[in-house]
């Protein structure tokens, strides 16, 4: 699966024409050794009056647009083609699996610690220690616990023990809510795992992007979270760097995962958000469609970072 084609459409619907304010979007995948952009195209309707692109504090590409006039529908449609060549987690650059020797109890080096502190800070209250107690389930009561084993088992436990629910709007649940309810969306599971590993002294970040969900057959379902944007976790491990974990699907590593935005807090990685002015009852809803398909043609032409055009 060397090349992926990704279509991402978001449509806002209003009962009456409303005044559209500034909107910020994160659609452009991050380039790295395992994913390389080949082409990008973005169509917005109505056509924005002003547009610009910037990099945020994490190096994510953020598009900012403003509008004139009113509209009863606002549509963003992004098309991306990229090379996606993930390596297995804990592998060297030749793809050979290595045994990571890091173990609990654990501490980062003095050189790394200042840059990791913000990703180690917990963001949600846990007054009764529920998240702490749940995280400690994966630590051996005596002796050392391999971090590779701990993180893999935590990923698999969320996948096996919690029920997935699609929720397109609203913020993430608190980790305590997710533990209590036993259900949540991909971002809820990501936030739970982030808080759990942070409680153990590890640096973790939230990742927003896309997942490729192949149709395997009626008895073998594809990945959970296909058809929408997806969320997962990355944890910093010395000698390995940032390693990715998808607790929604039990994935260790970034197979089938395309990174778009990385942040300390999920609120910093919202794919699209903006403002509008009108009557409270004017908002009718939002539709999101995401389609990720593999391409097996190795030829591809580079394009400019974004081409913004008029909807037909």
């Amino acid at each position: 699966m060397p090349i992926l084609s990704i279509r991402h459409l978001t449509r806002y619907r209003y009962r009456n024409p409303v005044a559209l304010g500034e909107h910020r979007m994160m659609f452009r995948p991050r380039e790295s050794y395992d994913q390389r952009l080949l082409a990008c195209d973005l169509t917005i309707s109505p056509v924005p009056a002003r547009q610009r692109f910037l990099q945020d504090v994490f190096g994510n590409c953020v598009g900012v647009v403003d509008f004139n006039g009113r509209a009863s529908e606002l549509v963003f449609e992004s098309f991306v083609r990229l090379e996606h060549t993930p390596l297995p987690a804990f592998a060297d650059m030749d793809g050979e699996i290595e045994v990571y020797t890091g173990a609990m109890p654990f501490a980062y080096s003095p050189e790394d610690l200042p840059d990791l502190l913000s990703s180690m800070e917990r963001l949600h209250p846990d007054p009764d220690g529920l998240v702490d107690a749940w995280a400690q389930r994966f630590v051996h009561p005596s002796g050392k616990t391999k971090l590779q084993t701990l993180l893999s088992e935590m990923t698999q436990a969320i996948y096996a023990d919690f029920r997935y629910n699609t929720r397109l709007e609203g913020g993430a649940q608190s980790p305590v809510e997710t533990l209590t309810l036993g259900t949540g969306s991909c971002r809820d599971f990501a936030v739970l795992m982030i808080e759990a590993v942070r409680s153990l002294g590890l640096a973790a970040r939230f990742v927003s992007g896309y997942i490729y969900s192949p149709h395997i057959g009626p008895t073998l379902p594809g990945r959970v979270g296909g058809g929408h944007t997806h969320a997962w976790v990355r944890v910093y491990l010395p000698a390995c760097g940032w390693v990715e974990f998808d607790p929604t699907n039990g994935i260790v590593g970034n197979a089938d995962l395309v990174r778009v935005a990385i942040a300390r807090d999920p609120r910093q990685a919202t794919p699209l958000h903006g403002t509008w002015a009108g009557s409270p009852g004017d908002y009718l809803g939002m539709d999101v469609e995401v389609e990720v398909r593999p391409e097996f043609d190795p030829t591809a032409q580079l394009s400019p970072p974004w081409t913004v055009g008029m909807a037909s």
Side-chain angles (χ1 to χ4, degrees):
M1 190 178 57
I3 298 177
L4 289 177
S5 175
I6 303 170
R7 171 182 174 267
H8 178 183
L9 180 142
T10 303
R11 178 184 293 107
Y12 295 101
R13 295 175 286 106
Y14 303 93
R15 190 181 310 278
N16 300 297
V18 299
L20 300 172
E22 179 183 276
H23 281 68
R24 291 185 168 236
M25 52 198 162
M26 290 181 173
F27 297 149
R28 178 189 173 94
R30 294 174 63 112
E31 295 202 64
S32 186
Y33 64 90
D34 57 354
Q35 55 183 47
R36 182 174 71 94
L37 282 176
L38 301 173
C40 300
D41 183 76
L42 175 65
T43 301
I44 304 172
S45 177
V47 177
R50 291 168 297 278
Q51 58 190 353
R52 62 191 175 99
F53 296 92
L54 55 88
Q55 280 190 310
D56 68 9
V57 68
F58 300 103
N60 303 310
C61 179
V62 182
V64 184
V65 292
D66 292 286
F67 299 89
N68 290 333
R70 292 174 171 266
S72 57
E73 186 175 83
L74 174 60
V75 181
F76 296 81
E77 190 167 20
S78 165
F79 293 93
V80 170
R81 295 179 70 242
L82 80 163
E83 285 185 350
H84 184 57
T85 54
L87 291 172
F90 313 107
D92 61 21
M93 293 304 294
D94 295 322
E96 297 295 326
I97 303 298
E98 297 181 339
V99 177
Y100 175 59
T101 58
M104 296 289 291
F106 170 82
Y108 290 112
S109 70
E111 292 79 14
D112 289 339
L113 189 58
D115 298 308
L116 296 173
L117 281 174
S118 65
S119 298
M120 298 169 65
E121 181 182 358
R122 297 180 66 177
L123 301 178
H124 298 271
D126 184 21
D128 299 320
L130 295 179
V131 177
D132 290 36
W134 185 80
Q136 286 294 327
R137 290 173 42 191
F138 305 96
V139 179
H140 297 162
S142 61
K144 292 186 176 182
T145 303
K146 292 182 179 179
L147 287 174
Q148 181 172 339
T149 301
L150 183 154
L151 293 167
S152 298
E153 290 181 350
M154 185 180 290
T155 302
Q156 295 297 327
I158 296 175
Y159 172 62
D161 298 342
F162 292 78
R163 189 176 75 257
Y164 172 79
N165 278 333
T166 301
R167 196 176 71 255
L168 299 182
E169 298 185 77
Q173 294 174 171
S174 74
V176 171
E177 285 181 287
T178 301
L179 282 174
T180 302
L181 296 172
T183 185
S185 66
C186 57
R187 61 187 179 279
D188 300 326
F189 297 156
V191 168
L192 169 60
M193 184 166 177
I194 287 171
E195 288 290 299
V197 300
R198 285 177 178 173
S199 77
L200 300 174
L202 297 172
R205 287 181 176 175
F206 181 90
V207 187
S208 175
Y210 305 110
I211 184 167
Y212 170 58
S213 180
H215 178 70
I216 302 173
T219 59
L220 294 173
R223 305 292 196 189
V224 175
H228 309 287
T229 55
H230 194 55
W232 60 97
V233 180
R234 55 174 19 198
V235 180
Y236 188 77
L237 301 174
C240 294
W242 291 100
V243 180
E244 300 185 43
F245 303 88
D246 177 9
T248 302
N249 289 284
I251 299 173
V252 176
N254 66 327
D256 297 335
L257 302 173
V258 176
R259 291 181 302 275
V260 171
I262 298 168
R264 174 180 52 86
D265 185 314
R267 292 172 294 185
Q268 299 169 306
T270 303
L272 177 63
H273 64 98
T275 61
W276 60 275
S279 300
D282 283 340
Y283 181 68
L284 294 178
M286 175 182 71
D287 305 314
V288 177
E289 301 174 13
V290 172
E291 185 178 23
V292 182
R293 289 185 174 182
E295 297 181 17
F296 297 100
D297 181 0
T299 62
Q301 298 295 320
L302 294 175
S303 73
W306 282 112
T307 302
V308 181
M310 182 181 297
S312 58

